[in-house]
């Protein structure tokens, strides 16, 4: 499993997306501007940088099971 952070401007959604992916899903997401990480902690570091850059309030993590949750700041 890998973790993807979408590097594009998140507006109008107002959150940075961090997505857990398997190899199949990775191929579909790689067509978008993104950063790839081995761990969720590494992905969260990048997401926090993008949150500051794009001036949005939240980070939302999407899991393989289809669940998602907002990260507490």
């Amino acid at each position: 499993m890998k973790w993807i952070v979408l590097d594009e401007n998140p507006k109008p959604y107002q959150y940075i997306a961090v997505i857990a992916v398997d190899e199949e899903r990775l191929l579909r997401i790689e067509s978008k501007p993104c950063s790839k990480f081995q761990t969720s902690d590494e992905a969260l570091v990048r997401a926090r940088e993008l949150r500051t850059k794009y001036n949005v309030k939240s980070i939302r993590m999407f899991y393989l099971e289809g669940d998602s949750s907002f990260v507490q700041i």
Side-chain angles (χ1 to χ4, degrees), residues 27-62:
L27 295 174
R28 289 182 287 186
I29 293 177
E30 283 184 319
S31 63
K32 297 182 178 190
C34 63
S35 301
K36 297 172 223 122
F37 302 94
Q38 296 294 322
T39 69
S40 61
D41 289 336
E42 294 170 328
L44 284 173
V45 169
R46 176 68 177 150
R48 287 182 180 108
E49 291 170 358
L50 292 172
R51 186 184 65 200
T52 301
K53 176 181 178 181
Y54 291 119
N55 195 30
V56 295
K57 295 181 180 181
S58 302
I59 296 171
R60 188 170 183 178
M61 297 190 73
F62 294 86

Side-chain angles (χ1 to χ4, degrees), residues 21-31:
V21 295
D22 53 17
E23 290 301 318
E24 180 182 321
R25 200 180 284 176
L26 178 62
L27 295 174
R28 289 182 287 186
I29 293 177
E30 283 184 319
S31 63

